[in-house]
Amino acid sequence: MANKLQSFIVTAIIFLLTQATYADSSVKAIQKKLSELGYQPGDADGIWGKKSEAALNQFLSSKGLTFDGKIDTNELELFEIFSFKYNIDDSLPVAWIDEFKNIMEILQEVLPVDKNFNKYVNKSTMDIYAWNGKVKNPFFEKREMSGASISGDGKTRWMVLEIPENEFKYDSLHRYSVIVHEYFHVYQIGLSKDRVDPKWLNEGGAKVFEEMFVQQYYGRSSLRGDFERAQLWSDEVFTNPKLYEKFETSSKETTDGWMDMNYAGSAFIFLTLVNELQKQSISEEEAFQLVFRDFWIEKSDESDWEKAFEKTFKINIETFYERLSEYSRKDIKKILPSRSLKIQDIFN
Ligand SMILES: [Zn+2]
């Protein structure tokens, strides 16, 4: 009896541990793939159970392979499931690393990267390199990288996250929002098949999304503050928005300040569009769905972004720019996203 009880407890503990380790988006993706291929892994709930393992074993033995007992890169590559590989330098604080993993988990759950993205990386895996800017770039294989970006060499692409020491010192949420920002670019590239113009929809979207994310999870955001700092963006947003369609014409420093520092100008145009869309009697959630997601899907088979714009938003770009010219810096409050808005309500 005692033995039986003991073994039950041991089994229960092992089961819990297994669940905790495997309950993630990779498991969910594998379960979905197995179902698609005609196996029966049970519900795609992200929890690795007996059914899932039996289905995986069936699949593997059909290929003359056996399961090594651990869901990792091997399995993901085999199913051509997109995944990230984390290369995180220990110059970063443990607290940041934990948050990084949490944030990536939420993002992959709420807005998974489209399988199109596999085309742009080797073996359906994208490396993320992260380190604290107080040390020299510790990754010898990629000496030239710095700052934060999605970079590529024609063969593959990777994410660069060099986090400036000051962002820890002054408790800047940018140390987290930058993760969201760069992830969002991967999302856009996947959906649009790498057709990521115009700049104000691309960078404006990434900026607004990262700020909505930190507002939801950390209770504050620098969006409003950025809009209120006149030096960060130019009035050409209202008079000549075409400049914001390209990086080359919108990243300059002028006598009045920057054209688009922190992408504040792009974000303003972006949120003005969301505001205009809501006048077509669509909800705030739906309007954000159109700008964050549907526009990029439309672009995957429409290389002319102005056409994709009109198809998605039912308004042409000239008309939109005319409406934009009626806005001013006084309209900041009018265009800020509702604080109660959750990203889960947008990408459902
Ligand atoms: Zn960006």
Side-chain angles (χ1 to χ4, degrees), residues 12-28 30 45-49 67 69-72 105:
I13 290 171
I14 289 172
F15 177 68
L16 285 173
L17 285 176
T18 314
Q19 265 198 333
T21 331
Y22 290 157
D24 65 11
S25 48
S26 314
V27 167
K28 214 175 191 174
I30 288 177
D45 52 8
I47 299 167
W48 195 250
F67 185 38
K70 210 175 158 242
I71 300 286
D72 53 20
E105 193 63 41

Side-chain angles (χ1 to χ4, degrees), residues 272-282 286-288 290-291 312-315:
T272 303
L273 174 60
V274 173
N275 195 53
E276 285 297 315
L277 290 173
Q278 287 175 81
K279 291 181 185 169
Q280 303 174 8
S281 71
I282 53 177
E286 286 165 335
F288 275 109
L290 291 173
V291 286
T312 312
F313 305 125
K314 318 284 181 240
I315 172 180

Side-chain angles (χ1 to χ4, degrees), residues 148-150 181-182 185 188 202-204 206-207 210 247 263:
S149 66
I150 304 301
H181 183 110
E182 297 309 332
H185 284 320
Q188 289 169 318
N202 167 28
E203 291 297 353
K207 165 73 174 170
E210 68 175 295
F247 278 90
Y263 303 120

Side-chain angles (χ1 to χ4, degrees), residues 199-217:
K199 181 213 168 188
W200 67 263
L201 262 160
N202 167 28
E203 291 297 353
K207 165 73 174 170
V208 169
F209 185 67
E210 68 175 295
E211 298 296 349
M212 285 171 75
F213 187 98
V214 292
Q215 182 65 52
Q216 179 177 339
Y217 287 96

